Amino acid sequence: EASPLEIFFRSRARASRGPSAGQGSLLCGLRAMRADRWICSCACILGLGLTAAAQEDKRKFPGPEEQPSVKDPKVGVAGVLKWSKERLATAQEAYGQTGFTRMKSPAAWDNEVVYYVMVDRFANGDMNNDMKNVPAFQVDQLSSGLPYTVGNWRHGGDLEGLRGRLGYLEHLGVTTIWVSPILLNNEGSPWGYYLSDMSMIDPGFGSRELFRQVVKEAHDKGIRVVLDVITNMGKSQDLKYTEAPSIDETTACVEAAENMYWNYSYTPNETYYNQSWLDWGTQMPPYMMDQTFFQRCGVQANYRPKGKLFSTLPKVYNDSGATGFDAGLLWPEAFSAPDPLPDFATMNKNWQELYTNMMMYWIAFADIDGLRLDAVKYVSADYVAYISTHVRLFAKTLGKDNFFVTGEILSPGDVPFAYTYLGQGPEPMKAACSENPGCMGLVGDCCPTQGGLRLKCCFDVSSRSSVVPKRVSDMWTELSAHEHELGSPGPAMPTFYPTDDHSYMRDVARGVANASAWWTDSHWNLSMSNNKDLLIRQKAEPTWTWQMVDSQDLPRVLQVAGQGDDIWRLIPALTWMFTWYGSPALYYGIEQGLNGQCGKFDEHILDAPLEQIHLDCFKGTDDALKRQDMFTGGPWLLRSAIPQVNKSAMISGGMMQAGAPNWCEEPLLNRDPTQNQVFRDTRALGRIRRSCRMLGTIPAMRAQDADPKVLAYWKFPEDVTSPGPSCALVILDYKPTPSNDYVIHVPSASSPYTYWSPAALGANFTVGQKFVDLLHPDRTAIVQADGVLKVDAAAPTRNSGVFIPLEDAIEDSEGSDWMVCQIGQAELPALPNYEECRATASGLPYLGGLLLLSILGALTYIAVVVAILMKNRKKCGVFLMKVRDPDPVKTLERPSPEVRDIVEPRHVFVAAIEHTIPDRKVKVSAGGLGKVLDQMLREHPPGRLSLVHPKFAGVNYGELTHYMTLEVIVDMQKQIIQVHKCESTAGDIHRVWYLLEHKWFETQVSTDAPYPYPQTKLSVLRFFSLWNQAAAHLMSSLDPRPDVYHCMDYHAAMLPLYLAPHEQVPTIIVLHNADYDGAIETEFINDVFWQGSPALRRLSLIFNLKPEAIREYLTFEGRFNMLWGGIASVEENQNGHGICTVSGKYADELKRERTMFKALPAVLPLDNAIDSAADDGPKCIEELKQQRVAAKKALQEFCGLRIDPDAKILIFIGRWV
């Protein structure tokens, strides 16, 4: 049998045939414009069909490609492998027939601007395929009109949409497109991260011929294409285990596979112990239906080495090699919930060859330039080495001498044997303990504590070790024969992307970490050093890595509630991507400020699905939030930090109804530098980076640490003798109002920073030397005599800057307002401008007759529509409404426990609906609680008493001082509360009243019945949500901070749930009513929005708390209970101490009869709050008994009861609850 390479060289391309023009098509119709566009416009869209090169090739592919069945005894595995090789020759022949010229690889991949395109969400260019291969739940929801999970639908984006936006990507400055997975997954996943058939393009995205055309047109614009592919698991609609593996079976199977991986060479037809069997169903491609192609150990959760969860095992290196943690990553299925996603048998040689041949096909057929291997950490390293080496060898035969391959390893600290995937994988150093701070260890791998000092686990460069799986060392031996052919980098995967770097920069942008700690945080610094050192040590390519701050796997940087509009967080993070080693990788839409936050909702979405969508938005964890639509008409248009783009934000319940505009006119692609600074800076940084190659090199040095919100560093060329700038200074200012007051230390022998001191460069800095900010040339800096570079204080302040010596800078081409490095300007392509964009948009051939026909057709259509409207003018009307953009919902976490020492309070905070202001004769009281307040105001211990109450209508409070304005979220809506203040002193008590003004409080007009009722009304729930949130916000704003929170009964018992952990103060709850404990029978609530919606989710929205907090803190014995929120907080933060009642009998009753209080250590009584002067005075016991007998008899006579001195009479005083 011929080897793959022999087949490659034997294949020859036939003479090219010129493409013929396709047929034109006409689409004309009325299109309803949304997003503040109050017009209906006639959109006559004249479209050209694809050329013959982009259409299905009828000669080669008359229908679905015929696939051999591996189960056919005449075919078998050998026949399938033969078929996969023959496809390569067919693919080369098909490409030769197009007449296209293949694009060569770059000399190096260290100076690219990468842009990730999620095909389903980027652009919809062909509405005819919108309903192809959509998931079953989407079909059901569309037919029922109930779009519960619209964010996880297929939204219609496709390869034709990508093709139509290549001009936009060129305009942005992109040089490499990273395309999300487009190979067939027959369950219709919009993301594509399942794999059903490696031989086909998903029909919902397009065809293989269209993909080839997209690649060709990208190449014409100087843009390369890297395809994202799944390496670890298969998926089919009805694929399942015949019998699901048990915990014991999974564990035995995994341990057998790990043993084979580490200790045995490959043998044909090998099997493991306890492998289960798969039922293929009806959708699995016949060439893949071989049991040996799949691992079949079962789900990861069932792997229990020695009865433990594998994730709890240490990630260690040892001389014996194998670890339980490593096995848990490689052999069980990591992504099999809720449906089976069986892992491929990545150690199986036949599968390795089949998979690799199928990937080679797309290089031959479509001329792609690289592969991004998904989920590499879940597959064996020999598999990755085989794929990486052979696809690069094959690409070389097609003229691509430097085919790109990268993989998703994530942090090396999370993958014990990460080094086996890279470069010269099987040649690691032996782990050894060392106190040398410059050693290269991996995160999480530490030597045992010795003498109280925790030592790093480092690699001893003087020794070699066999800490490499046998399968990997065997593969290395096999592939070493190709080392000379490949050159540098050698066999195995050339690079990966360092997620530790990305994670820390995301934390800085979100305000979780300090920028200046980039150099000093020991955990992160070690992690980031290990990424870089691993690449260098394994002789991989560290400068080929991708740097990103947004990705398909992480929430967007601006997705945090309250940060959605903060482009000052995004700008410096973007600048870091372009100025750190490797290449920047832009996640689609980052340049348009997409933030993953929900905005407006289509008014036609019914209540039940709207509630579910609200909840998904509220939780903020759904994958759909980081994968929003980027085309007009998409059903999942979330918010943007760019106001002009944000106008289009709208979540709808249906698919796109009309063709999207050309990218030049697309409102979601705002390129105006006066409106979209993010786009402008992204474009400028791409030009700056490509002209200043040293920005992508490894050498870097800290430049300042005085300001914790500023990260500043120097960059240097790899070769200090190379022409061009000798250095560059990058300043990233993570403050909403940046400054120019930086203390930037010039690199020299006297610099305070010694991480990397290039003494040879010291002479290049002279006093008075001028630097210019390439990104904003109106900013300059000068070297001072004290070795500090001083930015001009009078210059405009910016959040980021890239400074180089003025003599090395030059203006970019016409149309720019930035500068570039003079040494690299000649290599930059011409800068596209707006006029070119418009010309492209209007550059369709003028087909006179057809154009005239389209115009006439449009006018006729308008006339018909107008006639219909006129005929029905009395029956219908057109109404326009504009919905205000809601602020992002604040997600409040539950408070964390914190133990504090209790001291004598000097400042007590009281929240009560009843209130009294004696000096002003204000009295709002329903009974005993008001009397307690009266006594507190007179007899409280010395100190400050801060009292917060609702401000009721109809009550004369006298003159008040405005104190502050509060904003809270109730039921997804912002509510504004005005806070007024008055104060007075009584003896040693300083009393301050804070009165909350809001329309919901003003409806309670009765001073003797101030509580809202009935409890089953939504308005009452909203009242208590507003009351508790407002009181909490006010309390957290007070200075000095209160020492104690005094909660008057259940009405404000939820207040602690709205305080951050550092804002919590000791709480006492004083209970006044024995017959009501704060429970609400929510099942009796009669509200349309409540029906069909789980009560927990509805309460979550009303009270602006996560569902988990409602369940844990506000649900007692199956019912919503406000008092439980306070009691649970006291239990958690104060060990249960702090619950009081107004009498000893009440305290005893609660402990005895109410289960809510039984777990408390004590319920303490307070003194009687009634003044002694209000009584008749002390009476002797006998006299009281006589009065009681007489009173009982009188009552029995009055009520017509039997006269009985021994009868028990219950008297209800107050409300009968």
Side-chain angles (χ1 to χ4, degrees):
E1 183 175 281
S3 70
L5 285 177
E6 289 171 336
I7 294 179
F8 305 162
F9 290 121
R10 285 206 300 260
S11 60
R12 294 289 183 269
R14 296 179 180 176
S16 62
R17 299 177 182 143
S20 58
Q23 297 296 315
S25 61
L26 175 67
L27 171 64
C28 185
L30 279 177
R31 180 174 173 213
M33 303 297 290
R34 296 182 308 195
D36 301 339
R37 296 162 186 254
W38 311 123
I39 59 170
C40 289
S41 65
C42 175
C44 297
I45 303 173
L46 179 64
L48 293 180
L50 298 178
T51 63
Q55 295 174 345
E56 293 286 345
D57 188 336
K58 305 299 182 184
R59 294 159 299 187
K60 287 293 178 186
F61 303 104
E65 183 180 0
E66 184 177 351
Q67 299 175 344
S69 173
V70 71
K71 296 195 293 185
D72 186 340
K74 297 179 180 180
V75 178
V77 172
V80 167
L81 294 178
K82 182 180 178 182
W83 164 78
S84 69
K85 296 171 187 175
E86 291 171 347
R87 292 180 80 245
L88 299 178
T90 304
Q92 290 191 67
E93 182 180 357
Y95 193 84
Q97 292 174 358
T98 64
F100 299 160
T101 300
R102 293 192 184 275
M103 190 175 197
K104 296 184 180 298
S105 303
W109 289 85
D110 60 352
N111 205 29
E112 299 296 306
V113 177
V114 183
Y115 190 95
Y116 176 87
V117 170
M118 180 158 284
V119 174
D120 184 63
R121 305 299 164 96
F122 185 61
N124 187 348
D126 182 4
M127 292 172 58
N128 293 320
N129 62 16
D130 285 4
M131 293 305 295
K132 289 184 179 180
N133 195 31
V134 299
F137 70 84
Q138 178 176 346
V139 176
D140 293 341
Q141 292 179 19
L142 281 168
S143 62
S144 66
L146 300 173
Y148 285 97
T149 56
V150 61
N152 291 297
W153 288 2
R154 281 250 175 137
H155 292 172
D158 47 38
L159 291 170
E160 187 61 43
L162 170 57
R163 178 173 175 247
R165 287 193 177 180
L166 291 173
Y168 169 75
L169 298 177
E170 179 188 30
H171 191 83
L172 181 60
V174 171
T175 63
T176 296
I177 302 172
W178 166 13
V179 181
S180 66
I182 55 173
L183 301 183
L184 177 64
N185 75 89
N186 58 28
E187 286 206 339
S189 163
W191 336 123
Y193 286 98
Y194 300 146
L195 182 59
S196 301
D197 191 342
M198 300 173 285
S199 72
M200 294 179 61
I201 300 292
D202 191 310
F205 297 146
S207 67
R208 72 186 80 194
E209 287 72 28
L210 176 56
F211 180 49
R212 181 174 61 195
Q213 183 71 16
V214 169
V215 175
K216 190 268 181 186
E217 293 184 17
H219 286 171
D220 290 345
K221 296 181 179 296
I223 300 174
R224 293 181 169 85
V225 177
V226 173
L227 180 61
D228 202 333
V229 294
I230 313 306
T231 63
N232 62 317
M233 60 188 179
K235 178 67 173 174
S236 186
Q237 284 186 1
D238 42 11
L239 176 66
K240 60 185 178 182
Y241 282 106
T242 56
E243 185 175 344
S246 66
I247 289 177
D248 290 342
E249 289 170 336
T250 296
T251 301
C253 180
V254 170
E255 290 175 347
E258 183 77 345
N259 182 46
M260 194 171 293
Y261 184 52
W262 280 91
N263 301 313
Y264 294 93
S265 297
Y266 174 77
T267 57
N269 304 316
E270 65 185 10
T271 58
Y272 318 138
Y273 296 108
N274 293 101
Q275 281 184 294
S276 298
W277 293 88
L278 293 170
D279 180 348
W280 304 115
T282 59
Q283 301 295 318
M284 179 64 70
Y287 71 89
M288 292 177 64
M289 291 194 293
D290 187 84
Q291 298 285 342
T292 65
F293 289 167
F294 292 86
Q295 192 64 37
R296 297 173 288 128
C297 279
V299 299
Q300 197 176 67
N302 277 357
Y303 170 50
R304 305 288 178 87
K306 296 181 179 179
K308 299 180 179 179
L309 289 173
F310 91 94
S311 57
T312 64
L313 300 177
K315 308 168 190 176
V316 297
Y317 295 78
N318 53 55
D319 289 329
S320 63
T323 69
F325 184 88
D326 177 58
L329 292 177
L330 299 183
W331 314 121
E333 296 151 14
F335 302 97
S336 284
D339 301 317
L341 289 168
D343 280 356
F344 299 133
T346 60
M347 279 194 291
N348 182 287
K349 286 276 193 177
N350 292 327
W351 173 256
Q352 291 177 355
E353 184 178 349
L354 175 61
Y355 182 90
T356 303
N357 288 344
M358 302 303 280
M359 295 304 109
M360 290 175 181
Y361 174 88
W362 297 108
I363 307 173
F365 185 87
D367 199 39
I368 61 174
D369 303 282
L371 292 173
R372 182 261 187 188
L373 307 180
D374 183 64
V376 163
K377 80 177 199 176
Y378 295 109
V379 301
S380 57
D382 59 320
Y383 176 55
V384 174
Y386 184 93
I387 299 169
S388 302
T389 303
H390 282 283
V391 297
R392 290 167 60 206
L393 284 170
F394 176 70
K396 226 172 157 56
T397 69
L398 303 179
K400 294 181 179 290
D401 294 339
N402 222 355
F403 188 81
F404 183 76
V405 181
T406 189
E408 183 193 23
I409 300 178
L410 300 181
S411 168
D414 292 330
V415 184
F417 301 97
Y419 58 83
T420 61
Y421 293 94
L422 290 167
Q424 297 186 19
E427 294 193 34
M429 315 307 178
K430 182 179 179 181
C433 294
S434 170
E435 294 183 60
N436 176 12
C439 67
M440 299 182 290
L442 292 186
V443 179
D445 302 327
C446 295
C447 297
T449 301
Q450 298 178 5
L453 177 66
R454 191 160 178 79
L455 304 175
K456 297 179 182 178
C457 180
C458 302
F459 290 100
D460 181 356
V461 298
S462 64
S463 64
R464 299 283 177 174
S465 172
S466 59
V467 187
V468 176
K470 177 67 173 162
R471 290 298 172 88
V472 178
S473 60
D474 285 353
M475 182 60 69
W476 175 256
T477 301
E478 176 185 321
L479 298 178
S480 62
H482 304 295
E483 189 167 3
H484 178 71
E485 293 175 71
L486 286 175
S488 179
M493 194 168 64
T495 193
F496 77 106
Y497 43 95
T499 55
D500 288 313
D501 301 46
H502 311 161
S503 296
Y504 191 83
M505 190 51 61
R506 286 170 56 83
D507 283 352
V508 172
R510 292 176 165 212
V512 178
N514 283 334
S516 61
W518 177 269
W519 305 99
T520 57
D521 185 298
S522 58
H523 170 75
W524 284 108
N525 198 252
L526 180 60
S527 299
M528 293 183 286
S529 297
N530 288 332
N531 287 325
K532 179 176 58 181
D533 294 341
L534 183 64
L535 287 160
I536 295 172
R537 187 176 63 249
Q538 297 307 122
K539 298 184 180 179
E541 294 289 348
T543 59
W544 290 18
T545 63
W546 289 346
Q547 302 290 358
M548 61 192 82
V549 291
D550 270 353
S551 80
Q552 75 277 17
D553 294 319
L554 296 169
R556 291 185 181 266
V557 167
L558 299 183
Q559 196 170 317
V560 176
Q563 298 181 5
D565 299 329
D566 296 348
I567 63 170
W568 60 267
R569 299 178 186 274
L570 192 57
I571 293 295
L574 274 169
T575 306
W576 170 80
M577 289 166 50
F578 283 86
T579 56
W580 205 237
Y581 73 91
S583 292
L586 302 163
Y587 184 53
Y588 82 102
I590 191 173
E591 77 284 2
Q592 296 298 334
L594 302 190
N595 61 22
Q597 296 184 357
C598 297
K600 301 174 187 175
F601 296 85
D602 192 312
E603 61 181 352
H604 297 102
I605 300 178
L606 299 178
D607 288 339
L610 181 62
E611 165 62 17
Q612 179 63 53
I613 299 169
H614 268 296
L615 180 62
D616 291 339
C617 295
F618 181 70
K619 290 189 299 185
T621 56
D622 197 302
D623 280 343
L625 295 177
K626 51 184 173 261
R627 300 167 181 176
Q628 64 195 89
D629 290 342
M630 199 177 168
F631 55 90
T632 295
W636 193 242
L637 294 171
L638 306 186
R639 297 185 67 247
S640 165
I642 309 303
Q644 290 74 17
V645 177
N646 194 50
K647 290 179 181 179
S648 298
M650 174 71 74
I651 296 174
S652 64
M655 297 294 285
M656 186 170 170
Q657 298 299 310
N662 180 276
W663 70 265
C664 293
E665 309 299 332
E666 170 63 80
L668 286 162
L669 305 182
N670 188 295
R671 304 176 320 284
D672 187 338
T674 65
Q675 297 177 350
N676 188 349
Q677 183 191 348
V678 186
F679 182 90
R680 179 264 177 200
D681 282 12
T682 304
R683 195 181 188 207
L685 285 165
R687 307 279 292 183
I688 292 169
R689 168 56 190 273
R690 296 182 67 193
S691 67
C692 310
R693 295 186 72 93
M694 67 177 168
L695 292 175
T697 61
I698 291 177
M701 178 178 173
R702 179 165 35 145
Q704 82 89 40
D705 61 5
D707 190 334
K709 296 297 183 182
V710 174
L711 173 61
Y713 49 90
W714 293 95
K715 293 299 298 284
F716 307 97
E718 297 279 5
D719 182 358
V720 296
T721 64
S722 60
S726 60
C727 62
L729 170 69
V730 180
I731 300 178
L732 311 177
D733 193 327
Y734 284 96
K735 297 194 294 288
T737 305
S739 70
N740 288 329
D741 187 19
Y742 308 119
V743 180
I744 303 298
H745 295 276
V746 172
S748 67
S750 60
S751 171
Y753 310 125
T754 57
Y755 288 88
W756 194 77
S757 296
L761 298 176
N764 291 339
F765 294 90
T766 57
V767 175
Q769 184 179 11
K770 195 169 187 179
F771 282 67
V772 64
D773 181 357
L774 298 176
L775 195 55
H776 306 286
D778 53 359
R779 275 209 308 177
T780 58
I782 296 178
V783 177
Q784 307 288 319
D786 57 359
V788 170
L789 185 75
K790 188 70 174 176
V791 178
D792 183 2
T797 57
R798 312 287 186 182
N799 286 107
S800 64
V802 182
F803 293 81
I804 68 169
L806 180 60
E807 61 270 19
D808 293 314
I810 190 172
E811 292 184 1
D812 200 355
S813 30
E814 185 178 354
S816 69
D817 60 351
W818 58 82
M819 301 180 79
V820 295
C821 284
Q822 186 172 333
I823 188 69
Q825 189 207 27
E827 301 176 9
L828 296 175
L831 195 65
N833 54 42
Y834 290 114
E835 286 67 29
E836 292 176 7
C837 171
R838 295 192 185 98
T840 302
S842 60
L844 296 174
Y846 181 79
L847 305 179
L850 186 58
L851 182 60
L852 178 61
L853 179 62
S854 67
I855 295 173
L856 292 175
L859 294 175
T860 302
Y861 188 83
I862 293 173
V864 171
V865 172
V866 170
I868 293 173
L869 290 175
M870 290 298 294
K871 182 178 179 181
N872 295 276
R873 63 187 181 276
K874 294 184 179 180
K875 302 177 183 178
C876 65
V878 178
F879 297 90
L880 303 178
M881 66 176 294
K882 182 177 180 180
V883 181
R884 177 179 64 85
D885 285 348
D887 285 350
V889 177
K890 299 177 181 177
T891 301
L892 297 177
E893 305 282 356
R894 47 180 276 188
S896 62
E898 185 173 349
V899 179
R900 296 181 178 86
D901 294 329
I902 304 300
V903 297
E904 183 177 351
R906 301 294 299 172
H907 181 188
V908 176
F909 183 85
V910 182
I913 292 177
E914 296 183 42
H915 55 280
T916 179
I917 308 177
D919 300 352
R920 303 189 178 201
K921 296 182 172 53
V922 172
K923 186 75 170 179
V924 178
S925 175
L929 191 148
K931 292 181 178 295
V932 172
L933 277 171
D934 288 339
Q935 186 182 23
M936 287 178 64
L937 292 170
R938 292 192 307 271
E939 302 178 15
H940 197 275
R944 173 173 169 172
L945 203 57
S946 293
L947 305 104
V948 57
H949 310 294
K951 183 176 182 291
F952 290 134
V955 178
N956 182 10
Y957 290 96
E959 185 176 352
L960 300 172
T961 302
H962 185 267
Y963 177 68
M964 68 183 303
T965 300
L966 297 174
E967 293 185 6
V968 301
I969 301 293
V970 178
D971 215 359
M972 298 291 286
Q973 298 296 321
K974 184 199 303 183
Q975 303 296 333
I976 307 297
I977 304 105
Q978 303 298 335
V979 183
H980 305 280
K981 173 184 174 183
C982 64
E983 53 190 311
S984 69
T985 300
D988 294 328
I989 311 171
H990 182 61
R991 307 172 300 186
V992 184
W993 288 271
Y994 298 94
L995 299 166
L996 308 183
E997 180 183 353
H998 188 275
K999 60 183 179 182
W1000 293 350
F1001 297 148
E1002 292 174 354
T1003 58
Q1004 302 301 121
V1005 296
S1006 175
T1007 57
D1008 59 356
Y1011 298 100
Y1013 65 91
Q1015 300 287 341
T1016 53
K1017 291 186 66 174
L1018 278 178
S1019 60
V1020 174
L1021 298 182
R1022 294 183 180 123
F1023 177 103
F1024 283 119
S1025 175
L1026 181 77
W1027 164 237
N1028 279 266
Q1029 289 190 66
H1033 280 280
L1034 175 64
M1035 178 176 168
S1036 64
S1037 72
L1038 296 182
D1039 186 17
R1041 178 185 180 187
D1043 302 309
V1044 167
Y1045 167 45
H1046 184 127
C1047 176
M1048 309 289 278
D1049 230 319
Y1050 71 89
H1051 311 106
M1054 293 185 294
L1055 184 151
L1057 300 182
Y1058 296 99
L1059 298 176
H1062 69 277
E1063 296 172 335
Q1064 297 288 328
V1065 299
T1067 299
I1068 63 167
I1069 301 176
V1070 181
L1071 301 174
H1072 297 257
N1073 195 323
D1075 300 297
Y1076 185 70
D1077 61 6
I1080 295 177
E1081 298 287 356
T1082 52
E1083 59 266 32
F1084 294 117
I1085 293 177
N1086 184 20
D1087 179 80
V1088 174
F1089 199 23
W1090 194 278
Q1091 306 306 315
S1093 172
L1096 188 67
R1097 291 194 296 230
R1098 190 69 181 93
L1099 289 166
S1100 170
L1101 298 178
I1102 293 173
F1103 286 94
N1104 195 26
L1105 291 167
K1106 286 189 174 182
E1108 294 82 359
I1110 298 287
R1111 182 184 294 109
E1112 182 168 353
Y1113 289 92
L1114 294 171
T1115 305
F1116 186 78
E1117 295 182 339
R1119 294 191 300 172
F1120 178 76
N1121 191 299
M1122 291 187 286
L1123 179 58
W1124 181 240
I1127 293 177
S1129 178
V1130 168
E1131 282 188 326
E1132 191 170 271
N1133 293 329
Q1134 300 164 206
N1135 296 322
H1137 294 282
I1139 308 298
C1140 308
T1141 66
V1142 293
S1143 74
K1145 284 191 175 182
Y1146 184 17
D1148 292 339
E1149 177 189 336
L1150 292 182
K1151 285 286 290 181
R1152 181 179 65 250
E1153 300 180 6
R1154 305 296 176 90
T1155 55
M1156 181 181 292
F1157 303 93
K1158 285 187 177 180
L1160 297 176
V1163 177
L1164 303 179
L1166 298 181
D1167 294 336
N1168 196 328
I1170 305 300
D1171 284 344
S1172 59
D1175 293 335
D1176 291 336
K1179 296 181 181 294
C1180 69
I1181 299 299
E1182 289 302 322
E1183 186 178 352
L1184 286 173
K1185 287 181 178 179
Q1186 292 174 10
Q1187 288 185 1
R1188 178 177 179 182
V1189 170
K1192 180 180 290 187
K1193 181 179 179 181
L1195 182 61
Q1196 289 169 336
E1197 291 174 345
F1198 179 81
C1199 295
L1201 301 176
R1202 175 170 52 87
I1203 306 301
D1204 181 359
D1206 296 324
K1208 296 284 194 290
I1209 297 178
L1210 301 180
I1211 302 175
F1212 291 86
I1213 301 176
R1215 299 181 303 283
W1216 189 338
V1217 180

